[in-house]
Amino acid sequence: HQRSAEKNGNIVSFVPCYWFNAPEEIERKLTTAGKGQWILLQGRINCSVYMVGQQSRSNTEVIVYPNSLVLDPTQTTNPIQTKE
């Protein structure tokens, strides 16, 4: 993941998100027209720590809950319903 410091001192992290077996329509929207698009999602945070030589490294990712995705949350409050 990437970290950057904001002028107000807050740290912002961009964390990879994984959605397994995403519906084709949603996958297409996120991969072809998703850049710069606001989304809202919920998921489980998965963290791991491991050693590389004498240094510890960490990895953080989000496993997305399939029924939690909202494309452009400024327009709606209803999550996208996916077929299970």
Side-chain angles (χ1 to χ4, degrees):
H1 67 277
Q2 298 175 327
R3 282 191 176 171
S4 63
E6 295 185 337
K7 291 179 183 178
N8 61 7
N10 291 335
I11 295 176
V12 176
S13 292
F14 296 93
V15 178
C17 296
Y18 297 94
W19 185 354
F20 297 100
N21 301 316
E24 285 186 35
E25 175 189 353
I26 302 303
E27 184 178 347
R28 186 172 38 257
K29 285 181 181 179
L30 293 176
T31 57
T32 60
K35 185 173 183 175
Q37 181 174 335
W38 287 93
I39 65 170
L40 176 68
L41 58 86
Q42 294 179 357
R44 171 177 60 87
I45 298 174
N46 188 37
C47 299
S48 62
V49 178
Y50 56 95
M51 298 296 290
V52 175
Q54 296 292 322
Q55 294 184 329
S56 68
R57 305 283 179 158
S58 64
N59 185 45
T60 304
E61 57 197 19
V62 175
I63 309 301
V64 177
Y65 297 145
N67 291 327
S68 72
L69 183 71
V70 178
L71 299 174
D72 193 3
T74 62
Q75 301 299 316
T76 183
T77 58
N78 296 324
I80 291 175
Q81 296 299 311
T82 58
K83 296 178 185 175
E84 295 190 37

